Amino acid sequence: MDFQPIERSPEAFQQPVTADQIVAMTRRAFGPHVRVSAAVELGNGTYNNTYRVDLDLAAAGAVVVDDDDGGAPPPGDRSVILRVAPEPARQFRTERGFLRNEVASIPHLAPIAALMPRLLATDFSHEVVGRDHVFQSLLAGVPAPEGLGAYPRTAWGAFYRSLGAITRTIHDVRGERFGPVAGPVFATWAEAVTAHLADLAADLDGLGLDSTDVRRLAESAARHRAALNRITEPRLLHGDLWTVNVMLAPGAPEPTICGVFDCDRTSWGDPEADWPILLAGRRPGTERDAFWEAYGPLANTDEARLRRLIYRASHLGGARLERHRLGNAAGVAESYAEMRELLALLPQADPACRQS
């Protein structure tokens, strides 16, 4: 077996599994006679450990049911994706059970199912390895961060227009409660937002980082609960839809999205709180403006602008965790200055109270 893990320090957040563990996980998923010819760790993500696993099916006479007709695939090597979650003790409160959350979200993501990898096997038992893991089909295409560079910037508008259309399709899915798809869920949007901020502050405390500003943000969200609770219908949010999590069709005349992956941050909430909405709004006057042509305009009321400030600050708190995990001390320090600026923009009185 050709095993190519990414070398990391023992202190790194992501820790690889062993070659023997990959063989054991694969045989449990697809049968005891499947032979693993290669396992190569992919380094694009910062949370799960992701591997491309090559299965030599011809040598074993094994069957993996993942073709369109539900029968045996053609003989020979077959590549699949193995995603392994961090050990439970390494997971932040705000990131707990991400793979379980993704599996729970699959039925709700049916409108974009044709773009997503197929779930081949799931194991949350921790019997083979003490970590959640799933096997998925390998998406065709080129990762967007690599593929976009093959096109002139004048053509990038087509990419962002497509990203806006996919985001709108996801946001059109309706739910019944607010919060992560796999739970916990809440009856109101304000409860879901403040619960997330409380977990975020606890995560920062656990790392020895100052959480005072995030706790102030949670207090502000509670004070503005009337504006938050104007959002009464939960909509499906992807949570991480941007260039790093999509594939492009190779050789297409314009950048064309052919795959969407890493859907483990899905939740029910206000569409304007979703990650792609925040990123699409950055750098106005560029090709990103094409996003709104397909998605549609955002609300332009005092309440909506207030909510977006809260969401922006919440995302910044999450980015602080990510920067710490990546050893970006300067970025962590910058997040405190950025948060001070955002908190200063939040009004003391709730616009919803003035308008109700």
Side-chain angles (χ1 to χ4, degrees), residues 186-200:
F186 303 88
T188 69
W189 179 226
E191 289 178 293
V193 171
T194 53
H196 171 75
L197 292 172
D199 282 345
L200 181 56

Side-chain angles (χ1 to χ4, degrees), residues 15-37:
Q15 290 297 312
V17 293
T18 67
D20 288 344
Q21 287 172 327
I22 288 180
V23 170
M25 287 186 278
T26 303
R27 288 178 174 171
R28 178 160 184 163
F30 303 123
H33 303 297
V34 171
R35 188 172 76 86
V36 179
S37 57

Side-chain angles (χ1 to χ4, degrees), residues 21-34 36 53 55 57 62-65 80-82 119-123 128 133-136:
Q21 287 172 327
I22 288 180
V23 170
M25 287 186 278
T26 303
R27 288 178 174 171
R28 178 160 184 163
F30 303 123
H33 303 297
V34 171
V36 179
V53 179
L55 310 177
L57 303 177
V63 172
V64 180
V65 178
V80 298
I81 292 295
L82 167 63
L119 182 64
L120 306 178
T122 305
D123 193 340
V128 177
H133 58 277
V134 300
F135 285 91
Q136 297 173 319

